[in-house]
Amino acid sequence: MRLNWWPLVVGIVLARSETAQQAFYPEHSATNKNTSIPSVKKDSTYGPIYAGLATFGFVPTLDCFASDEPFDIGFVGLPIDTATTYRPGARFGPNGIRQGSRRLRILGGYNVPLAVNPFADWAKVVDCGDVGATPYDTALALKQIEEGHRKTMNRNAATPATEVASTGRKAHPRIISLGGDHSVTLPILRSIAEVHGPVSVIHFDSHLDTWQPKESKGQDSETAALNHGTYFYYASKEGLIRNGTSIHAGIRTTLYDLDDYKNDADCGFTLLEAWEIDEMGPKGIIKAIRSTVGDTPAYLSIDIDVIDPSAAPATGTPESGGWSTRELRTIIRGLKGLNLVGADLVEVAPAYDTAAEITQIAAADVLYEVLSLMVKKGPLAL
Ligand SMILES: *[C@@H]1O[C@H](CO)[C@@H](O)[C@H](O)[C@H]1NC(C)=O
Ligand SMILES: *[C@@H]1O[C@H](CO)[C@@H](O)[C@H](O)[C@H]1NC(C)=O
């Protein structure tokens, strides 16, 4: 007797992949008939995606520095790189990321694993353009960035959460910053602390960035001491970071010695080294981050150098042995539901990218996951 076995095999394979999808993403299913998920209308409001002014994902522009018009989520470019140690060039990062984001909405922008379309749901998403920061004086540039961030964030969100509305408190928009070198995170945290108080920091990077200024050579002035490797040290001293609920992930830098880790803990962080993904898998990394941060207000800071240089070469201080773009995107999607009050993606230096723009595309796609998380979460009630 000839057994007709192949439909059984196909059936098992389909059933298995369905199980894997649903274990990780319960709302995601190839047979999801959720008709309340909004989609971008198939119209011609934007033309060929290789043409036209590149805002992030072709969202509308809003001059947030000149206007107080409410919005919910805003992309803001912070084009400075005068606080870098090795390769400069991140001043071109904001427009590099926008260039990498051109294809995000080519088929509407629906995020399959997260089952949300961040471009077509409740949120008014805009691109604010760039803060006009000076290339001649880092200390002044950081002040300008702080003022720029405050100006964009200190307004009403277009869609306040009902919980906030009912208490009469102001609901603020969430800002996603496009770096720029990593020093920009200090002025951002200063601005955020005025609204939310100290926040937990979820920091993806190959480096700690809590280095004590005195440890490095050539830091004999105040301006030189505050750079893209020391800004978290200052943020901790200023009380901007919640102690014990902040975490680095993807770390693989060499150290001066193990006192650097002690100093890092004193600054309020715990950490996951890059190799730990081999032991824990992305699921374990997600679990560790979630249990550290809990339901505290959290700020997400992503240095593109957390990704391996084979997939993201265009950055200032590359370190081999990093995560794949897929792993990082999976881990970020795993942060669904956390109280993200803002985010940045920094250290993209397009001059070192491949002609295929792989770093800029990776950066844009990672931020697409971040935007999806924020929209999925709904209006922030903090
Ligand atoms: C359907 O989608 C809407 C909008 O994204 C969401 O609020 C709702 O929870 C979804 N329902 C199910 C059953 O997945
Ligand atoms: C954070 O807590 C640890 C452990 O309790 C402590 O050693 C450290 O000084 C604290 N750091 C800050 C910045 O409060």
Side-chain angles (χ1 to χ4, degrees), residues 235-237 239 241-244 262-269:
S236 164
K237 294 287 168 245
I241 301 177
R242 286 174 85 112
N243 196 357
K262 190 187 165 300
N263 170 60
D264 189 66
D266 287 345
C267 289
F269 284 93

Side-chain angles (χ1 to χ4, degrees), residues 24 200-204 244-250 268-277 279-296 298 323 330-332 334-336 338:
F24 231 89
S200 303
V201 173
I202 305 168
H203 174 219
F204 291 98
T245 56
S246 295
I247 186 165
H248 312 284
F269 284 93
T270 54
L271 68 91
L272 295 162
E273 293 177 10
W275 64 269
E276 292 188 76
I277 203 168
E279 294 295 321
M280 310 165 117
K283 259 189 185 168
I285 302 282
I286 291 167
K287 204 170 152 202
I289 296 173
R290 296 186 72 97
S291 66
T292 304
V293 174
D295 61 2
T296 60
W323 293 343
T330 297
I331 291 164
I332 288 177
L335 306 184
K336 190 177 81 171
L338 297 188

